[in-house]
Amino acid sequence: MQERKRVRELGIKIGRFPTGQNNTITDIPGVKVGHETVITDEQDGQGPARTGVTVILPNDDIYNQRIFANSHVINGAGEMTGMVQMKEWGIIETPIALTNSMNVGIVCDGIIEYMTQRYPELGDTEDIVLPIVAECDDSFLNNPRGRHVKQEHVISAIEKATNGEVEEGSIGSGTGMSCFEFKGGIGTSSRVITEKYTIGTLVMTNFGERKDFLLNGTPVGEQLQDFMPKSHVPEGSIIIVIGTDAPLLPHQLGRLAKRSALGLGKIGSKAYHGSGEISLAFSTGNSLKRGEMAEVISLNMVNDLLLNDLFEAAIECIEEAILNAMFKAKTVIGRNGNILYEIPIAKTMEILATQ
């Protein structure tokens, strides 16, 4: 089977900023991504499974080297655990995990199990944690009642997390996800600012109606009306994770997270009533050591004058990451014979060529 290509490999350039080495969120030094995919066809009342978990590790010791973060909710028909504390303190101290809606609790358990094994002091002589877990509804292809993602899948995804290239499309938590009624999933992209700072995104796409789909401003969805699902796909959601090594403070990261709405708008999202669009932005440019007792802590902060470039680069990354999720995803057949078809790349490129 021919390998599917990312949009930039097909000559489609999004935006003006240069990409990082791999054009992935892992171009940010220290950031790693891991997947665990769960696919079974057992029909015992708990299958079939078309699901998984994807984790992002901002650094190798997030419990002791906490980092600044913030979030933004565009439309709230979705969930991200740990968000209340994150917004209050402006930090994260666990891996970030993505999964399907009804597996959130088990994935939280998996993160806690992993962290209590690695940090015996957690919850004993040191603080407890509230894991960051975000979800989309993959029930068009996956049987959510099976809650197929287990603690061991979460731990495996964390332990397998690597830097460098990131698998995209129908992988990990993206296995059962859609995008504009095509197959969607996991996508990522990065940009370099002032030849010094890297900003990257990782998305889990599960949103959009075909008619709304824009590719670099071209309304290709209106001309791609074949390969439609046989029944209605739920309005879905998208989770957007933005990372950077630019030293941003929590209030700046909140402003950055808000720009995710503009990236979604460029590709045609309307943030429909039943969709959950939630974004999280983190910075590895500062770390807060657990147990630090100094009365005053010195921090670095990017001048607000640089924020415009970071905002624009984030918008570019989000648009390209969503496209990568679609272009890398392959057709998946799921429960009840439901099918999400891969976007027909050749036809899509023909449409672009005529515009």
Side-chain angles (χ1 to χ4, degrees):
M1 184 179 294
Q2 187 176 7
E3 181 66 25
R4 293 176 63 81
K5 294 182 178 181
R6 308 178 85 195
V7 291
R8 196 165 288 258
E9 295 172 324
L10 294 165
I12 301 172
K13 181 181 178 182
I14 305 296
R16 67 182 181 92
F17 288 103
T19 70
Q21 180 179 355
N22 294 296
N23 194 17
T24 65
I25 195 171
T26 55
D27 289 329
I28 304 166
V31 175
K32 297 179 180 179
V33 172
H35 303 291
E36 194 65 47
T37 302
V38 184
I39 296 177
T40 66
D41 288 318
E42 297 175 5
Q43 299 292 333
D44 57 359
Q46 301 302 312
R50 302 289 188 272
T51 193
V53 60
T54 294
V55 297
I56 302 170
L57 307 183
N59 62 39
D60 284 334
D61 191 10
I62 190 63
Y63 181 66
N64 287 310
Q65 299 296 332
R66 302 171 295 172
I67 60 171
F68 290 132
N70 209 329
S71 62
H72 180 67
V73 177
I74 301 167
N75 194 65
E79 184 59 74
M80 178 181 290
T81 67
M83 189 163 57
V84 173
Q85 178 177 280
M86 174 176 54
K87 293 186 75 68
E88 181 72 20
W89 286 359
I91 63 171
I92 56 175
E93 52 188 358
T94 75
I96 301 161
L98 313 179
T99 192
N100 73 71
S101 302
M102 290 178 66
N103 252 118
V104 169
I106 296 174
V107 173
C108 276
D109 285 347
I111 291 176
I112 291 171
E113 181 64 24
Y114 169 81
M115 296 192 70
T116 53
Q117 289 179 15
R118 180 172 178 183
Y119 304 103
E121 68 275 19
L122 192 160
D124 184 9
T125 59
E126 294 290 343
D127 290 339
I128 56 89
V129 291
L130 298 173
I132 306 294
V133 181
E135 56 76 34
C136 292
D137 176 10
D138 62 7
S139 60
F140 185 76
L141 295 178
N142 175 59
N143 180 2
R145 295 172 62 91
R147 289 174 289 172
H148 302 287
V149 180
K150 306 302 182 184
Q151 288 189 19
E152 55 264 31
H153 295 125
V154 181
I155 294 171
S156 176
I158 294 172
E159 291 177 340
K160 288 163 53 176
T162 60
N163 51 24
E165 296 183 1
V166 175
E167 291 188 80
E168 296 171 292
S170 307
I171 190 77
S173 62
T175 301
M177 303 298 174
S178 68
C179 197
F180 293 110
E181 298 175 287
F182 284 119
K183 186 66 189 71
I186 297 295
T188 184
S189 184
S190 71
R191 297 293 187 273
V192 177
I193 306 297
T194 68
E195 299 182 353
K196 183 175 182 180
Y197 298 120
T198 300
I199 184 168
T201 61
L202 185 140
V203 301
M204 178 171 67
T205 71
N206 198 50
F207 71 98
E209 295 184 3
R210 182 73 56 83
K211 63 180 177 60
D212 297 331
F213 176 36
L214 302 174
L215 204 170
N216 237 356
T218 300
V220 296
E222 296 175 354
Q223 301 178 62
L224 289 171
Q225 290 300 306
D226 45 3
F227 303 105
M228 291 291 290
K230 69 176 183 179
S231 59
H232 175 68
V233 179
E235 289 181 11
S237 303
I238 184 171
I239 301 300
I240 300 170
V241 179
I242 306 169
T244 183
D245 56 1
L248 302 183
L249 299 188
H251 72 283
Q252 295 174 311
L253 288 164
R255 299 180 68 194
L256 182 62
K258 288 180 182 178
R259 270 58 188 187
S260 59
L262 300 176
L264 282 173
K266 289 193 67 178
I267 204 162
S269 169
K270 304 296 192 297
Y272 286 127
H273 163 75
S275 187
E277 289 82 10
I278 303 175
S279 61
L280 179 156
F282 68 82
S283 168
T284 62
N286 291 289
S287 63
L288 299 176
K289 183 178 180 181
R290 183 174 297 279
E292 175 63 64
M293 299 301 292
E295 289 189 7
V296 177
I297 299 173
S298 297
L299 301 169
N300 293 317
M301 185 189 84
V302 158
N303 191 317
D304 283 346
L305 297 176
L306 186 63
L307 288 180
N308 286 344
D309 281 352
L310 287 167
F311 292 163
E312 183 179 352
I315 293 167
E316 291 182 13
C317 285
I318 291 164
E319 183 180 7
E320 185 163 344
I322 294 168
L323 291 171
N324 283 335
M326 296 177 70
F327 276 63
K328 289 291 286 183
K330 298 178 181 178
T331 297
V332 174
I333 303 172
R335 70 169 184 153
N336 301 324
N338 288 339
I339 304 174
L340 286 174
Y341 294 99
E342 61 198 50
I343 186 171
I345 292 177
K347 184 172 182 179
T348 303
M349 297 302 290
E350 288 176 8
I351 294 170
L352 287 177
T354 62
Q355 301 302 307

